[in-house]
PDB file of all heavy atoms in Angstrom:
ATOM      1  N   ALA A 929     109.236  -5.468 -43.324  1.00  0.00           N
ATOM      2  CA  ALA A 929     109.340  -6.913 -43.576  1.00  0.00           C
ATOM      3  C   ALA A 929     108.489  -7.780 -42.640  1.00  0.00           C
ATOM      4  O   ALA A 929     107.731  -8.628 -43.108  1.00  0.00           O
ATOM      5  CB  ALA A 929     110.801  -7.348 -43.529  1.00  0.00           C
ATOM      6  N   PRO A 930     108.574  -7.605 -41.333  1.00  0.00           N
ATOM      7  CA  PRO A 930     107.777  -8.495 -40.480  1.00  0.00           C
ATOM      8  C   PRO A 930     106.287  -8.383 -40.792  1.00  0.00           C
ATOM      9  O   PRO A 930     105.598  -9.400 -40.913  1.00  0.00           O
ATOM     10  CB  PRO A 930     108.070  -8.006 -39.061  1.00  0.00           C
ATOM     11  CG  PRO A 930     109.303  -7.205 -39.164  1.00  0.00           C
ATOM     12  CD  PRO A 930     109.359  -6.650 -40.536  1.00  0.00           C
ATOM     13  N   THR A 931     105.818  -7.127 -40.922  1.00  0.00           N
ATOM     14  CA  THR A 931     104.393  -6.950 -41.222  1.00  0.00           C
ATOM     15  C   THR A 931     104.021  -7.645 -42.519  1.00  0.00           C
ATOM     16  O   THR A 931     103.030  -8.367 -42.602  1.00  0.00           O
ATOM     17  CB  THR A 931     104.060  -5.449 -41.333  1.00  0.00           C
ATOM     18  OG1 THR A 931     104.497  -4.803 -40.146  1.00  0.00           O
ATOM     19  CG2 THR A 931     102.590  -5.242 -41.529  1.00  0.00           C
ATOM     20  N   LEU A 932     104.849  -7.415 -43.544  1.00  0.00           N
ATOM     21  CA  LEU A 932     104.516  -8.010 -44.833  1.00  0.00           C
ATOM     22  C   LEU A 932     104.556  -9.528 -44.781  1.00  0.00           C
ATOM     23  O   LEU A 932     103.721 -10.212 -45.364  1.00  0.00           O
ATOM     24  CB  LEU A 932     105.483  -7.483 -45.900  1.00  0.00           C
ATOM     25  CG  LEU A 932     105.280  -6.012 -46.245  1.00  0.00           C
ATOM     26  CD1 LEU A 932     106.320  -5.552 -47.249  1.00  0.00           C
ATOM     27  CD2 LEU A 932     103.883  -5.770 -46.785  1.00  0.00           C
ATOM     28  N   LEU A 933     105.532 -10.057 -44.068  1.00  0.00           N
ATOM     29  CA  LEU A 933     105.611 -11.515 -43.949  1.00  0.00           C
ATOM     30  C   LEU A 933     104.356 -12.089 -43.326  1.00  0.00           C
ATOM     31  O   LEU A 933     103.771 -13.049 -43.826  1.00  0.00           O
ATOM     32  CB  LEU A 933     106.826 -11.898 -43.083  1.00  0.00           C
ATOM     33  CG  LEU A 933     108.144 -12.006 -43.815  1.00  0.00           C
ATOM     34  CD1 LEU A 933     109.249 -12.289 -42.814  1.00  0.00           C
ATOM     35  CD2 LEU A 933     108.088 -13.121 -44.850  1.00  0.00           C
ATOM     36  N   VAL A 934     103.968 -11.445 -42.206  1.00  0.00           N
ATOM     37  CA  VAL A 934     102.769 -11.938 -41.530  1.00  0.00           C
ATOM     38  C   VAL A 934     101.576 -11.889 -42.467  1.00  0.00           C
ATOM     39  O   VAL A 934     100.813 -12.847 -42.592  1.00  0.00           O
ATOM     40  CB  VAL A 934     102.487 -11.097 -40.257  1.00  0.00           C
ATOM     41  CG1 VAL A 934     101.077 -11.315 -39.782  1.00  0.00           C
ATOM     42  CG2 VAL A 934     103.467 -11.466 -39.170  1.00  0.00           C
ATOM     43  N   ILE A 935     101.430 -10.764 -43.155  1.00  0.00           N
ATOM     44  CA  ILE A 935     100.266 -10.621 -44.027  1.00  0.00           C
ATOM     45  C   ILE A 935     100.311 -11.631 -45.167  1.00  0.00           C
ATOM     46  O   ILE A 935      99.317 -12.256 -45.506  1.00  0.00           O
ATOM     47  CB  ILE A 935     100.163  -9.187 -44.570  1.00  0.00           C
ATOM     48  CG1 ILE A 935      99.855  -8.251 -43.417  1.00  0.00           C
ATOM     49  CG2 ILE A 935      99.099  -9.089 -45.636  1.00  0.00           C
ATOM     50  CD1 ILE A 935      99.682  -6.816 -43.839  1.00  0.00           C
ATOM     51  N   VAL A 936     101.479 -11.797 -45.762  1.00  0.00           N
ATOM     52  CA  VAL A 936     101.552 -12.711 -46.895  1.00  0.00           C
ATOM     53  C   VAL A 936     101.250 -14.143 -46.483  1.00  0.00           C
ATOM     54  O   VAL A 936     100.426 -14.828 -47.087  1.00  0.00           O
ATOM     55  CB  VAL A 936     102.947 -12.630 -47.563  1.00  0.00           C
ATOM     56  CG1 VAL A 936     103.175 -13.830 -48.464  1.00  0.00           C
ATOM     57  CG2 VAL A 936     103.068 -11.355 -48.362  1.00  0.00           C
ATOM     58  N   PHE A 937     101.893 -14.605 -45.425  1.00  0.00           N
ATOM     59  CA  PHE A 937     101.715 -16.006 -45.066  1.00  0.00           C
ATOM     60  C   PHE A 937     100.401 -16.293 -44.364  1.00  0.00           C
ATOM     61  O   PHE A 937      99.818 -17.355 -44.540  1.00  0.00           O
ATOM     62  CB  PHE A 937     102.868 -16.462 -44.154  1.00  0.00           C
ATOM     63  CG  PHE A 937     104.090 -16.803 -44.929  1.00  0.00           C
ATOM     64  CD1 PHE A 937     105.200 -16.001 -44.882  1.00  0.00           C
ATOM     65  CD2 PHE A 937     104.108 -17.931 -45.725  1.00  0.00           C
ATOM     66  CE1 PHE A 937     106.321 -16.321 -45.618  1.00  0.00           C
ATOM     67  CE2 PHE A 937     105.222 -18.259 -46.460  1.00  0.00           C
ATOM     68  CZ  PHE A 937     106.332 -17.448 -46.412  1.00  0.00           C
ATOM     69  N   LEU A 938      99.973 -15.364 -43.543  1.00  0.00           N
ATOM     70  CA  LEU A 938      98.832 -15.685 -42.706  1.00  0.00           C
ATOM     71  C   LEU A 938      97.538 -15.084 -43.184  1.00  0.00           C
ATOM     72  O   LEU A 938      96.500 -15.360 -42.616  1.00  0.00           O
ATOM     73  CB  LEU A 938      99.109 -15.232 -41.274  1.00  0.00           C
ATOM     74  CG  LEU A 938     100.326 -15.906 -40.672  1.00  0.00           C
ATOM     75  CD1 LEU A 938     100.584 -15.410 -39.275  1.00  0.00           C
ATOM     76  CD2 LEU A 938     100.159 -17.404 -40.664  1.00  0.00           C
ATOM     77  N   VAL A 939      97.610 -14.241 -44.187  1.00  0.00           N
ATOM     78  CA  VAL A 939      96.361 -13.685 -44.702  1.00  0.00           C
ATOM     79  C   VAL A 939      96.269 -13.906 -46.213  1.00  0.00           C
ATOM     80  O   VAL A 939      95.309 -14.477 -46.716  1.00  0.00           O
ATOM     81  CB  VAL A 939      96.244 -12.177 -44.400  1.00  0.00           C
ATOM     82  CG1 VAL A 939      94.931 -11.645 -44.916  1.00  0.00           C
ATOM     83  CG2 VAL A 939      96.370 -11.922 -42.912  1.00  0.00           C
ATOM     84  N   ALA A 940      97.285 -13.441 -46.935  1.00  0.00           N
ATOM     85  CA  ALA A 940      97.206 -13.518 -48.391  1.00  0.00           C
ATOM     86  C   ALA A 940      97.159 -14.949 -48.891  1.00  0.00           C
ATOM     87  O   ALA A 940      96.298 -15.318 -49.704  1.00  0.00           O
ATOM     88  CB  ALA A 940      98.387 -12.777 -49.016  1.00  0.00           C
ATOM     89  N   TYR A 941      98.072 -15.754 -48.409  1.00  0.00           N
ATOM     90  CA  TYR A 941      98.087 -17.140 -48.890  1.00  0.00           C
ATOM     91  C   TYR A 941      96.778 -17.874 -48.573  1.00  0.00           C
ATOM     92  O   TYR A 941      96.172 -18.476 -49.472  1.00  0.00           O
ATOM     93  CB  TYR A 941      99.285 -17.916 -48.337  1.00  0.00           C
ATOM     94  CG  TYR A 941      99.111 -19.399 -48.508  1.00  0.00           C
ATOM     95  CD1 TYR A 941      99.190 -19.985 -49.776  1.00  0.00           C
ATOM     96  CD2 TYR A 941      98.769 -20.216 -47.433  1.00  0.00           C
ATOM     97  CE1 TYR A 941      98.963 -21.334 -49.953  1.00  0.00           C
ATOM     98  CE2 TYR A 941      98.547 -21.566 -47.610  1.00  0.00           C
ATOM     99  CZ  TYR A 941      98.644 -22.120 -48.861  1.00  0.00           C
ATOM    100  OH  TYR A 941      98.408 -23.458 -49.025  1.00  0.00           O
ATOM    101  N   PRO A 942      96.317 -17.822 -47.307  1.00  0.00           N
ATOM    102  CA  PRO A 942      95.033 -18.496 -47.049  1.00  0.00           C
ATOM    103  C   PRO A 942      93.915 -17.940 -47.914  1.00  0.00           C
ATOM    104  O   PRO A 942      93.018 -18.674 -48.310  1.00  0.00           O
ATOM    105  CB  PRO A 942      94.772 -18.219 -45.565  1.00  0.00           C
ATOM    106  CG  PRO A 942      96.106 -17.995 -44.983  1.00  0.00           C
ATOM    107  CD  PRO A 942      96.897 -17.332 -46.043  1.00  0.00           C
ATOM    108  N   PHE A 943      93.973 -16.637 -48.187  1.00  0.00           N
ATOM    109  CA  PHE A 943      92.930 -16.030 -48.998  1.00  0.00           C
ATOM    110  C   PHE A 943      92.939 -16.618 -50.400  1.00  0.00           C
ATOM    111  O   PHE A 943      91.914 -17.004 -50.946  1.00  0.00           O
ATOM    112  CB  PHE A 943      93.144 -14.518 -49.040  1.00  0.00           C
ATOM    113  CG  PHE A 943      92.215 -13.813 -49.964  1.00  0.00           C
ATOM    114  CD1 PHE A 943      90.849 -14.051 -49.892  1.00  0.00           C
ATOM    115  CD2 PHE A 943      92.683 -12.916 -50.895  1.00  0.00           C
ATOM    116  CE1 PHE A 943      89.978 -13.402 -50.745  1.00  0.00           C
ATOM    117  CE2 PHE A 943      91.806 -12.261 -51.747  1.00  0.00           C
ATOM    118  CZ  PHE A 943      90.466 -12.513 -51.675  1.00  0.00           C
ATOM    119  N   VAL A 944      94.120 -16.679 -51.004  1.00  0.00           N
ATOM    120  CA  VAL A 944      94.205 -17.262 -52.341  1.00  0.00           C
ATOM    121  C   VAL A 944      93.759 -18.716 -52.310  1.00  0.00           C
ATOM    122  O   VAL A 944      93.042 -19.188 -53.200  1.00  0.00           O
ATOM    123  CB  VAL A 944      95.654 -17.134 -52.875  1.00  0.00           C
ATOM    124  CG1 VAL A 944      95.802 -17.919 -54.156  1.00  0.00           C
ATOM    125  CG2 VAL A 944      95.995 -15.680 -53.105  1.00  0.00           C
ATOM    126  N   ALA A 945      94.177 -19.429 -51.264  1.00  0.00           N
ATOM    127  CA  ALA A 945      93.754 -20.824 -51.136  1.00  0.00           C
ATOM    128  C   ALA A 945      92.234 -20.910 -51.067  1.00  0.00           C
ATOM    129  O   ALA A 945      91.635 -21.818 -51.640  1.00  0.00           O
ATOM    130  CB  ALA A 945      94.363 -21.444 -49.874  1.00  0.00           C
ATOM    131  N   ALA A 946      91.614 -19.931 -50.370  1.00  0.00           N
ATOM    132  CA  ALA A 946      90.162 -19.948 -50.249  1.00  0.00           C
ATOM    133  C   ALA A 946      89.501 -19.704 -51.603  1.00  0.00           C
ATOM    134  O   ALA A 946      88.482 -20.317 -51.936  1.00  0.00           O
ATOM    135  CB  ALA A 946      89.717 -18.888 -49.254  1.00  0.00           C
ATOM    136  N   ILE A 947      90.059 -18.808 -52.381  1.00  0.00           N
ATOM    137  CA  ILE A 947      89.491 -18.549 -53.714  1.00  0.00           C
ATOM    138  C   ILE A 947      89.559 -19.823 -54.543  1.00  0.00           C
ATOM    139  O   ILE A 947      88.588 -20.227 -55.185  1.00  0.00           O
ATOM    140  CB  ILE A 947      90.235 -17.426 -54.435  1.00  0.00           C
ATOM    141  CG1 ILE A 947      90.027 -16.107 -53.729  1.00  0.00           C
ATOM    142  CG2 ILE A 947      89.758 -17.320 -55.878  1.00  0.00           C
ATOM    143  CD1 ILE A 947      90.604 -14.933 -54.473  1.00  0.00           C
ATOM    144  N   TYR A 948      90.705 -20.461 -54.510  1.00  0.00           N
ATOM    145  CA  TYR A 948      90.861 -21.681 -55.276  1.00  0.00           C
ATOM    146  C   TYR A 948      89.873 -22.739 -54.790  1.00  0.00           C
ATOM    147  O   TYR A 948      89.293 -23.484 -55.572  1.00  0.00           O
ATOM    148  CB  TYR A 948      92.305 -22.186 -55.161  1.00  0.00           C
ATOM    149  CG  TYR A 948      92.577 -23.378 -56.032  1.00  0.00           C
ATOM    150  CD1 TYR A 948      92.374 -23.326 -57.407  1.00  0.00           C
ATOM    151  CD2 TYR A 948      92.992 -24.588 -55.480  1.00  0.00           C
ATOM    152  CE1 TYR A 948      92.579 -24.418 -58.206  1.00  0.00           C
ATOM    153  CE2 TYR A 948      93.207 -25.695 -56.276  1.00  0.00           C
ATOM    154  CZ  TYR A 948      93.001 -25.607 -57.645  1.00  0.00           C
ATOM    155  OH  TYR A 948      93.207 -26.710 -58.430  1.00  0.00           O
TER     156      TYR A 948
END
Side-chain angles (χ1 to χ4, degrees):
Chain A
T931 306
L932 290 177
L933 275 176
V934 164
I935 293 182
V936 164
F937 279 109
L938 300 179
V939 181
Y941 164 71
F943 174 50
V944 171
I947 294 187
Y948 185 57

